[in-house]
Amino acid sequence: MSQTKILIVDDNEEIRNVLRILLQSEGYEVIEAIDGNEAISKIDSSFDLCILDVMMPGMSGYQVCEEIRKDYNLPILFLTAKSADADKSLGLLIGGDDYLVKPFSHAELTARVKSLLRRFYVYRGKEHVQHDEAYVTDFMKVNKEMNEVVILDDSLEGHKNANGETAVELSQKEYEILRLLISHPGRVFSAQIIYETIWEEPYLYSSNATIMVHIRNLRTKIEADPKNPRHILTVWGKGYKYI
């Protein structure tokens, strides 16, 4: 399955850097444009989302949006310091899908991006999300859309189906954490990234305890020996990964 591709259009290099780091940490492919003209030259049907600054030299974000809408129906998220209702209404009227006001939190940005992509895939028929229904490894199968998890080998005790698979009952948060980790095997996710992605709230120091409890419960349910996990590993000082 191809990687979700996002175009960032902003004349502020610092803002582009922040957006790129946040979005890449979520597993998205990020392409940057410094102004409207470069955005128009780069946009094509391979993109899944455009994050578009309103106030730019030359073409404004509104003008860029109008040009994009002539050929493409991908979701457009306006990013701007202008918070007046009239500005928001104008952005939506000319073809924008959502409006995020600076400054913004990591949790708010990722929540808006995920919501726009989900609607785009479901209602506009983006084909590539229909291909694979589950993440599958030698050890486990995790449904991408619903809380269905099975262990494929005989490492766990429990009722097995005709294929020798053991169903695992996870809480919704445990499932979402597992789905995040298994979708990027070998990649280390910090507690902050996990918390802000799954809970969609700003990370606080106390949030680390919440992550630790959920990881511990998840290991208890899927690992043959939770105290010596083989699949969900702690990378001390950095976070957690699935292997």
Side-chain angles (χ1 to χ4, degrees):
M1 186 174 72
S2 60
Q3 190 176 23
T4 298
K5 189 174 178 182
I6 298 176
L7 177 64
I8 296 171
V9 189
D10 200 306
D11 62 308
N12 187 312
E13 183 178 5
E14 183 177 353
I15 293 294
R16 293 200 312 274
N17 288 340
V18 169
L19 290 170
R20 184 185 69 254
I21 291 169
L22 292 180
L23 294 170
Q24 287 180 340
S25 74
E26 297 294 330
Y28 302 123
E29 177 184 359
V30 177
I31 306 298
E32 299 177 41
I34 64 173
D35 58 29
N37 288 324
E38 185 177 7
I40 297 302
S41 70
K42 288 185 173 181
I43 194 74
D44 59 35
S45 60
S46 69
F47 284 93
D48 301 270
L49 174 71
C50 178
I51 298 179
L52 184 56
D53 185 32
V54 171
M55 302 297 292
M56 296 186 293
M59 296 178 68
S60 72
Y62 295 143
Q63 292 172 309
V64 177
C65 178
E66 290 179 320
E67 289 299 312
I68 291 175
R69 280 288 172 257
K70 292 178 181 179
D71 298 300
Y72 305 105
N73 70 345
L74 79 166
I76 294 175
L77 172 61
F78 281 118
L79 187 66
T80 181
K82 302 176 71 175
S83 59
D85 289 340
D87 295 315
K88 296 180 182 179
S89 297
L90 176 58
L92 297 176
L93 284 171
I94 64 173
D97 295 276
D98 204 351
Y99 211 101
L100 185 58
V101 177
K102 304 173 187 176
F104 53 87
S105 69
H106 179 189
E108 186 176 18
L109 172 69
T110 55
R112 298 291 183 91
V113 167
K114 288 180 179 180
S115 177
L116 288 171
L117 289 171
R118 183 165 55 248
R119 293 203 301 266
F120 182 49
Y121 294 152
V122 172
Y123 297 113
R124 299 180 184 176
K126 190 68 172 178
E127 293 181 356
H128 73 254
V129 300
Q130 306 297 328
H131 293 172
D132 301 316
E133 296 180 353
Y135 299 106
V136 182
T137 70
D138 293 339
F139 169 68
M140 177 185 296
K141 180 168 65 176
V142 178
N143 190 303
K144 292 182 178 181
E145 301 299 330
M146 63 187 68
N147 190 343
E148 292 181 350
V149 179
V150 294
I151 305 301
L152 301 178
D153 63 18
D154 59 358
S155 60
L156 291 185
E157 297 293 332
H159 177 73
K160 291 180 171 52
N161 62 22
N163 297 321
E165 301 168 345
T166 305
V168 180
E169 294 186 8
L170 302 180
S171 71
Q172 186 61 27
K173 294 301 184 187
E174 292 165 358
Y175 161 72
E176 291 176 7
I177 292 172
L178 177 60
R179 186 178 61 182
L180 174 66
L181 296 178
I182 201 172
S183 66
H184 301 86
R187 178 175 171 184
V188 178
F189 287 86
S190 68
Q192 178 175 355
I193 293 297
I194 294 173
Y195 188 83
E196 293 190 346
T197 300
I198 304 304
W199 274 262
E200 298 184 353
E201 297 175 358
Y203 175 83
L204 302 174
Y205 180 76
S206 59
S207 305
N208 190 56
T210 300
I211 298 300
M212 292 176 64
V213 169
H214 280 77
I215 291 291
R216 183 182 63 203
N217 291 342
L218 187 53
R219 284 171 172 160
T220 299
K221 294 178 179 181
I222 72 169
E223 299 278 4
D225 183 0
K227 294 183 179 180
N228 297 285
R230 296 175 51 202
H231 302 285
I232 297 181
L233 304 185
T234 299
V235 181
W236 295 107
K238 295 184 178 180
Y240 304 92
K241 66 179 181 179
Y242 179 94
I243 62 170

